[in-house]
Amino acid sequence: LFDRIATLDHYSEKQAAHAFVQMNEAIGHCHEHGIVHRDLKPSNVLLDGGLRAKVSDMGLARILDEDALVSLTPETGSYLYMAPEVVCHCAYAAQADVWSWACLASEVLTLQRPYARRLLTPIQVAVNVAKGKIKPDIPPETPPKLAAIMLACFRSERTSRPTFSEISAVMNSVMAEQPLREKKARSQKWGQCF
């Protein structure tokens, strides 16, 4: 996904929306089977020739069992996509993937890395996310239902974040209601900030 979006001067919102629904189904399936990915980011979402999304790099994934909330406390993943509870070394679970998904969605919608406009290093981003001072941007032209679910994904209290099945339902609703257009890429490429 990262390479696909980074190298195009435009992309179809419909293609992106379908890729997100497929990604949501994959991560939702993992969560239903007690697995948390822990490093969801664009470079870990692969697109095949038909632009079907495949979630990859399960190297940091863990099975959630009764001891998971005790054992899943170390900082794991990529700073730009980490949920506050992960940055703070607090107990976390599948909802950390929900935060990461919303960071990834922000990146696809803005065509910039999360927090790129703030000119912060990844560690500065992590510290500010942990303090609740910043969240990734959601463009004003984002369909209201999608913007609302993304804001819900960025809730500080992890247990109040939506599940991937709830996110997928909203994505499907938005795709059914909204005309999806070609989106022009911004001139800034991802690699310029980090």
Side-chain angles (χ1 to χ4, degrees):
L1 181 64
F2 176 87
D3 290 339
R4 175 76 178 166
I5 300 299
T7 58
L8 293 179
D9 63 350
H10 70 280
Y11 68 92
S12 160
E13 287 183 350
K14 186 173 185 175
Q15 290 172 336
H18 284 293
F20 268 92
V21 168
Q22 292 162 359
M23 181 183 64
N24 296 351
E25 289 171 357
I27 295 295
H29 182 78
C30 289
H31 288 185
E32 288 169 10
H33 289 85
I35 299 168
V36 60
H37 187 279
R38 304 197 318 160
D39 195 22
L40 192 57
K41 59 185 178 181
S43 59
N44 289 341
V45 178
L46 307 176
L47 297 177
D48 68 14
L51 299 179
R52 289 178 296 271
K54 311 291 182 191
V55 177
S56 68
D57 193 357
M58 301 297 286
L60 296 177
R62 293 292 177 267
I63 295 174
L64 296 174
D65 56 23
E66 54 262 0
D67 298 325
L69 289 180
V70 176
S71 63
L72 291 183
T73 56
E75 181 181 291
T76 303
S78 302
Y79 283 128
L80 296 180
Y81 306 91
M82 278 185 194
E85 63 271 18
V86 178
V87 176
C88 291
H89 296 240
C90 297
Y92 64 92
Q95 297 90 345
D97 285 344
V98 171
W99 178 284
S100 299
W101 174 89
C103 291
L104 197 157
S106 169
E107 186 166 344
V108 170
L109 290 170
T110 63
L111 295 172
Q112 294 181 5
R113 294 252 190 211
Y115 318 101
R117 296 180 339 142
R118 292 181 177 84
L119 301 176
L120 300 171
T121 66
I123 191 73
Q124 289 171 321
V125 165
V127 168
N128 282 287
V129 165
K131 292 179 179 179
K133 292 184 176 181
I134 61 173
K135 294 178 175 90
D137 294 329
I138 300 173
E141 67 272 11
T142 303
K145 286 182 180 180
L146 180 55
I149 198 79
M150 289 175 68
L151 284 172
C153 293
F154 290 133
R155 289 180 182 145
S156 298
E157 177 51 49
R158 66 178 174 81
T159 58
S160 67
R161 293 181 199 144
T163 65
F164 275 99
S165 62
E166 292 168 328
I167 294 168
S168 288
V170 169
M171 291 288 300
N172 285 322
S173 171
V174 168
M175 288 171 31
E177 296 170 7
Q178 290 286 130
L180 299 174
R181 351 171 267 283
E182 289 287 311
K183 186 157 179 130
K184 293 281 184 193
R186 301 211 165 98
S187 60
Q188 180 180 6
K189 293 295 181 188
W190 279 318
Q192 293 175 340
C193 294
F194 300 100

